[in-house]
Amino acid sequence: MERRRLPSLFDAIIVVCEGASENAYLQELNRFFREHRIPLTFAPRVVGNGAFKAVAGYFRNIRRFMRDEEILIWVDLDIYTHSEANNYLNKPASIPDFLFSEMNFEDFLLLHMDRNQVLHWQSVAEKYDHFRHPMPAAVYMPIYKTAAFKYYRKGRMPFKINAKTLGQLFMNLHDKKIRFRNGFGLFIENRLREMGWLVDEEEKTPPATDGQAEKNASETVPTGVS
């Protein structure tokens, strides 16, 4: 007798990503989803770098054996503003559009924080022309630690993902004064909304006061999560 595949009770999505930092984030995100019984999980596949040839090749290898799985590619935008720009522009249709962290993964982390913290880091980044000419890691990391997370280490999460930090991420991603963008963050928000786990009345206009921003951030979270 032929065995039929049982339907999945949750969405399992493969994420081809750069390194240990993205992996740590995805594991922390999965923990939050498990604790709150949100039927969504991410399976990271770490490439080791974000170069087009490397991530595209990794994607093709997975797709060869997993024809029907949902596979995302999540990398930093920095090298795609110069050295890898042409490779991405000329990518074949078989390679999905990348989900970019603009400019670095660490910029994405800070989007989970209070709006004023994000704007402070943005002002520092603008001073170093980070949006036009992304800083190399040797320059970027000391500045980032001073202005953002003092004890940050790659591959380690500097905070816990909870209702407040995830809600703050979604709100900051729609704040027109914040220049940092993140394709993976928007993907999470949209998928949770499609699944009915986000409040429909989410306010995307930044509030007038910091106190109100904190209140709204705590409310803009998956339904039923406190």
Side-chain angles (χ1 to χ4, degrees), residues 28-226:
E28 173 67 7
L29 187 63
N30 286 340
R31 175 202 60 77
F32 176 77
F33 288 162
R34 285 194 305 271
E35 287 184 1
H36 296 285
R37 300 182 181 179
I38 298 173
L40 179 62
T41 188
F42 295 99
R45 297 292 183 266
V46 177
V47 179
N49 70 83
F52 180 83
K53 184 176 180 179
V55 295
Y58 212 102
F59 171 86
R60 290 190 183 100
N61 288 337
I62 297 173
R63 178 57 77 206
R64 186 176 298 119
F65 297 101
M66 298 181 175
R67 296 289 184 182
D68 301 321
E69 300 296 326
E70 185 171 8
I71 308 173
L72 309 177
I73 299 176
W74 178 22
V75 295
D76 290 351
L77 182 60
D78 55 356
I79 62 173
Y80 287 87
T81 64
H82 46 86
S83 61
E84 293 288 338
N86 287 334
N87 288 333
Y88 184 71
L89 287 173
N90 295 309
K91 75 176 181 63
S94 59
I95 303 297
D97 290 344
F98 292 6
L99 303 179
F100 287 111
S101 293
E102 184 179 345
M103 289 295 175
N104 296 354
F105 172 78
E106 287 75 19
D107 299 327
F108 168 63
L109 285 181
L110 203 62
L111 284 170
H112 295 72
M113 300 292 104
D114 177 82
R115 179 174 184 259
N116 285 341
Q117 291 177 258
V118 180
L119 290 174
H120 170 67
W121 170 239
Q122 180 170 295
S123 68
V124 175
E126 288 172 338
K127 177 182 176 182
Y128 287 88
D129 204 17
H130 185 53
F131 291 95
R132 287 200 307 162
H133 305 288
M135 291 177 273
V139 175
Y140 177 93
M141 289 308 300
I143 298 169
Y144 181 81
K145 288 181 179 181
T146 299
F149 299 113
K150 183 177 181 180
Y151 300 105
Y152 174 71
R153 290 173 58 188
K154 280 188 170 293
R156 301 282 184 88
M157 282 290 291
F159 58 87
K160 289 285 187 182
I161 292 179
N162 53 37
K164 180 179 178 181
T165 55
L166 200 58
Q168 190 69 57
L169 167 67
F170 299 153
M171 188 157 54
N172 286 333
L173 284 172
H174 294 283
D175 189 326
K176 293 182 180 179
K177 290 189 177 181
I178 292 176
R179 297 178 64 182
F180 297 110
R181 290 290 172 258
N182 189 274
F184 183 71
L186 290 173
F187 177 88
I188 299 170
E189 181 191 15
N190 291 335
R191 181 55 57 90
L192 289 175
R193 187 173 299 285
E194 291 170 3
M195 296 170 68
W197 282 87
L198 278 185
V199 177
D200 290 336
E201 296 81 16
E202 176 183 346
E203 177 58 60
K204 293 181 179 178
T205 302
T209 66
D210 294 340
Q212 188 63 35
E214 184 174 349
K215 179 177 183 295
N216 285 0
S218 65
E219 293 174 350
T220 309
V221 296
T223 304
V225 178
S226 57

